[in-house]
Amino acid sequence: MFNDTPAQKYISATGCHEFLNMYAATHDDRSAQLQLEECLKVIAHRQSKGLGHTDCIEHYHKTSDEYDKVSNIVDYQAPVELARTMADLFPDGRDKVKVLDAAAGTGLVGVELFKVGFKNLDAVDAAEGMLAVAESKHIYQRLICQYLGENKLGIDSRIYDAVTMCGGVGHNAVPAAGFKELLTIIKPGGVFVNATRVENASEIDEYRDTTLPLFEKLAEEGKLKLETERRFPVYLHGKEGVISVYSVL
């Protein structure tokens, strides 16, 4: 006679149904962990230095149908945190506040803004596929497929009460010229609200060496003011976030 395996002994003691439930739960945990690891690899690929802006945009375009699923798996909390900040900045009349969601992607930020009462939303993003997903959510008045860089956006100057950006900082992401262009379309007294990972201020060369010094220069010239910076624990899985609020003077 062969001795029973531990699994067989467990089944005999507790019943097959309970054992299968335990096995399924363990299997689900392993599957979820594998999914998380794969999704984090996808995000790391977008951030890789050697990819370049053009290939990065093409990657976003081709993977746009999976973007929301990936964001959910990695616990992408930054859009919720950004919307909370915007709600604090505009306690009243949010439906009248004109907002541009910059680097809008599939509209995850727009959805959260819409939930808290912001209805006058436009979006700009360089990846056509991402904007197609955003359009399907029916929350934006206007969608602009443009790269945020040296080019002009074709937007009348100073028409927005607020410009928001979430995830626009990184390798292959928005350069300093793009930030500078965005500031030109915000009304005097309006705000630029930027959510990013805490680590980006030191690890992203363009942001550290060009964009942040540009903000400091504009502040010295009396054109921009850093109002608040707030850290929050989960930008996405394993990454702390920060939201900076600048007023345009």
Side-chain angles (χ1 to χ4, degrees):
M1 292 286 293
F2 294 107
N3 292 329
D4 286 346
T5 65
Q8 289 170 324
K9 290 178 180 178
Y10 183 87
I11 292 171
S12 298
T14 64
C16 183
H17 181 69
E18 288 184 29
F19 173 75
L20 290 175
N21 283 344
M22 183 190 73
Y23 176 82
T26 303
H27 178 75
D28 287 346
D29 288 344
R30 289 174 181 169
S31 177
Q33 182 60 32
L34 287 173
Q35 275 192 320
L36 173 62
E37 290 172 2
E38 287 303 310
C39 289
L40 290 173
K41 286 178 184 177
V42 169
I43 292 171
H45 173 67
R46 297 173 187 152
Q47 292 274 325
S48 58
K49 273 190 174 183
L51 186 61
H53 290 100
T54 302
D55 287 345
C56 184
I57 292 167
E58 183 64 16
H59 173 82
Y60 275 112
H61 172 69
K62 289 181 176 178
T63 60
S64 56
D65 288 342
E66 297 296 319
Y67 184 85
D68 286 6
K69 179 181 177 182
V70 169
S71 297
N72 183 57
I73 290 171
V74 301
D75 195 23
Y76 186 37
Q77 291 295 312
V80 175
E81 295 288 344
L82 191 151
R84 185 175 299 157
T85 297
M86 282 285 288
D88 289 342
L89 289 169
F90 298 95
D92 303 304
R94 293 174 192 158
D95 59 323
K96 302 295 192 298
V97 178
K98 191 168 181 62
V99 182
L100 177 68
D101 181 10
T106 61
L108 293 178
V109 169
V111 167
E112 298 303 326
L113 289 172
F114 199 86
K115 285 178 183 177
V116 296
F118 294 95
K119 309 297 183 183
N120 194 0
L121 303 172
D122 293 345
V124 60
D125 196 272
E128 186 178 350
M130 299 287 276
L131 279 183
V133 177
E135 184 176 21
S136 71
K137 296 174 181 177
H138 307 293
I139 54 173
Y140 294 109
Q141 304 295 312
R142 180 185 179 192
L143 295 105
I144 305 162
C145 191
Q146 285 269 12
Y147 173 66
L148 291 167
E150 295 283 354
N151 55 295
K152 295 294 182 181
L153 292 174
I155 296 172
D156 293 336
S157 64
R158 304 202 179 281
I159 64 170
Y160 290 103
D161 300 296
V163 171
T164 61
M165 181 182 288
C166 191
V169 176
H171 298 303
N172 319 307
V174 180
F179 285 94
K180 189 174 182 179
E181 171 67 9
L182 288 173
L183 295 176
T184 69
I185 60 176
I186 301 172
K187 296 176 182 177
V191 292
F192 174 58
V193 184
N194 183 36
T196 188
R197 305 181 194 184
V198 168
E199 65 191 29
N200 286 346
S202 59
E203 295 187 3
I204 305 301
D205 300 346
E206 171 95 11
Y207 191 62
R208 180 192 65 226
D209 299 336
T210 309
T211 303
L212 291 178
L214 168 66
F215 288 170
E216 291 170 5
K217 180 175 181 293
L218 291 172
E220 290 170 2
E221 294 172 353
K223 299 175 181 177
L224 192 70
K225 182 182 179 183
L226 176 62
E227 297 289 354
T228 62
E229 276 193 335
R230 176 177 68 87
R231 291 192 176 197
F232 56 97
V234 182
Y235 180 89
L236 54 74
H237 177 83
K239 300 294 181 181
E240 186 182 9
V242 60
I243 295 178
S244 304
V245 178
Y246 296 88
S247 59
V248 174
L249 307 175

